[in-house]
Amino acid sequence: MRDEWDGQQTGAGAASGAGQRPTYCKPVEQRRREVALGLGLVGVLGLAAVGALVTAGGSDDPNSLATADAPEQVLDDINAAVDASEAAAASDEPFVELVDVELAGLVDPDPAVDGEPAEQERADGGCTIGALSLRIGASGDGVTCLQDALADEGYFSGASNGEFAQTTFDAVMKYQQAEDMFVDGVVGRETALGLTVWPDEESLVTRTPEPADGAVDLWGVKLSPVGSAGDDAPPLPEDSGSGYRVVYDRAGQRVWAVDDEERIIRSWLVSGSTYANEVPGTHEVYSRSEMSTAWNGKAYLPNMIRWLKTDIGAIGFHGIPTKVSTGEVYQTDDELGTRLSGGCQRQNNLDASFLWGFAPVGTPVVVT
């Protein structure tokens, strides 16, 4: 089990924390001093991973992340992020925003889905709920599958009729309570995994070949190991909007950066939420921080780009998190494409630096 640092709460603690913003028992000045001490580690790590690749030299510098083909503002924004990291590492004062934190994912706000969802199979061929979530009022084969699974576990004694009514709701609540899950009567990823009726996630993820050394996207920005661009990128999801925008597909754990001409400038894998708290629909970037912290203060989140406000925190794109205590990273590139966070979308630092230049405040974010 991973450290509970970015909203991944399990067991009784998840239920008791519902709807509450994390609180800190230490004085503000003490927290600031601790953040300042840890930030030097982040500065060193960030500069090693990103700063050494990003310079103002453009294409004349073989180590430059952004080449002369990239829009000038992109290069300026990327370099500004690196300058901020350098300044923070050399300063006694932290610039981490302790009030803007990654969401602790405790709820499932997915709206009801109209019509029958597309059928999705488990790795062993068994039935699944066939949707990102099921709740009271839902109907269809996915509900029948859920009812059968609840009956097998001894929580449902009614007829498996494919109707998510009160008896099914009560059975889900009893199961969640018995398994120390967040108790809300909604069947999302955690509950469906426990009942073994969740789709095979890897089958929904498209993994592209690792780019050749020095490969760049359509703006001339260096690609990450999980990046692709143009015709080499997977196609956009259906109903993913139009115009200049960022598209995030939750099922496929993939992001696309699309320009005004509908060109896929760049696409890459991410590690999104283990919950269903990434609300689908059209949003927009509303704030950004060169560095922020996880909700419990245990991790630094570089290049945080927020697109969803909640009562208990923020959801956004950011680079690979690092531990405040040691500077170690929380995951590898090989793990991108799997759901590991409590709400945000973790990216390879090259992709995070690109998105920092691509997505200023006001940029549309389409979540499918």
Side-chain angles (χ1 to χ4, degrees), residues 240-366:
S240 58
S242 62
Y244 191 98
R245 67 198 185 280
V246 176
V247 176
Y248 169 46
D249 179 48
R250 297 173 297 162
Q253 292 293 283
R254 177 170 289 276
V255 171
W256 291 260
V258 187
D259 71 1
D260 289 323
E261 300 176 8
E262 294 299 313
R263 298 185 305 164
I264 299 174
I265 302 301
R266 187 182 184 104
S267 179
W268 60 96
L269 290 175
V270 299
S271 284
S273 179
T274 59
Y275 304 93
N277 49 20
E278 303 159 319
V279 178
T282 299
H283 310 269
E284 68 175 37
V285 176
Y286 70 88
S287 77
R288 314 191 321 163
S289 297
E290 289 91 349
M291 192 69 69
S292 187
T293 59
W295 68 270
N296 59 9
K298 292 185 178 180
Y300 292 121
L301 315 176
N303 288 340
M304 180 71 171
I305 299 175
R306 304 175 186 87
W307 55 266
L308 181 64
K309 294 181 180 180
T310 78
D311 291 337
I312 55 175
I315 283 180
F317 303 101
H318 58 72
I320 298 295
T322 56
K323 295 182 180 180
V324 170
S325 58
T326 65
E328 296 175 280
V329 295
Y330 271 87
Q331 72 171 86
T332 66
D333 285 337
D334 290 341
E335 293 175 299
L336 291 167
T338 57
R339 308 173 195 223
L340 296 173
S341 86
C344 289
Q345 301 77 49
R346 306 173 184 173
Q347 311 164 99
N348 177 281
N349 287 340
L350 295 179
D351 296 318
S353 295
F354 165 82
L355 195 61
W356 186 262
F358 183 88
V361 171
T363 300
V365 177
V366 181

Side-chain angles (χ1 to χ4, degrees), residues 152-243:
D152 290 343
E153 295 293 326
Y155 294 97
F156 182 72
S157 58
S160 295
N161 57 8
E163 299 295 329
F164 199 134
Q166 188 65 45
T167 53
T168 304
F169 177 84
D170 292 341
V172 171
M173 294 274 284
K174 291 177 182 177
Y175 173 76
Q176 291 172 332
Q177 186 173 20
E179 296 298 320
D180 287 332
M181 296 178 178
F182 181 66
V183 180
D184 59 358
V186 176
V187 181
R189 180 176 184 269
E190 184 182 15
T191 302
L193 280 172
L195 291 167
T196 65
V197 292
W198 185 248
D200 175 21
E201 292 178 347
E202 183 60 29
S203 69
L204 308 177
V205 176
T206 301
R207 298 183 182 275
T208 55
E210 183 173 346
D213 290 343
V216 297
D217 61 27
L218 299 193
W219 275 3
V221 180
K222 185 176 180 180
L223 288 172
S224 74
V226 295
S228 55
D231 293 339
D232 293 331
L236 286 160
E238 294 183 4
D239 301 321
S240 58
S242 62

Side-chain angles (χ1 to χ4, degrees), residues 4-93:
E4 296 179 350
W5 63 273
D6 64 351
Q8 295 190 60
Q9 293 190 353
T10 59
S16 63
Q20 297 180 359
R21 187 183 181 89
T23 58
Y24 296 90
C25 59
K26 297 179 182 179
V28 172
E29 290 305 317
Q30 181 180 349
R31 295 200 308 269
R32 290 184 179 276
R33 287 195 296 271
E34 291 175 353
V35 171
L37 290 174
L39 199 56
L41 290 171
V42 175
V44 172
L45 182 63
L47 294 176
V50 179
L53 295 172
V54 183
T55 72
S59 58
D60 292 335
D61 184 347
N63 290 325
S64 178
L65 172 65
T67 72
D69 295 331
E72 183 177 355
Q73 186 60 51
V74 173
L75 185 58
D76 290 344
D77 286 349
I78 293 173
N79 283 327
V82 174
D83 289 343
S85 295
E86 290 176 334
S91 173
D92 291 333
E93 293 295 326

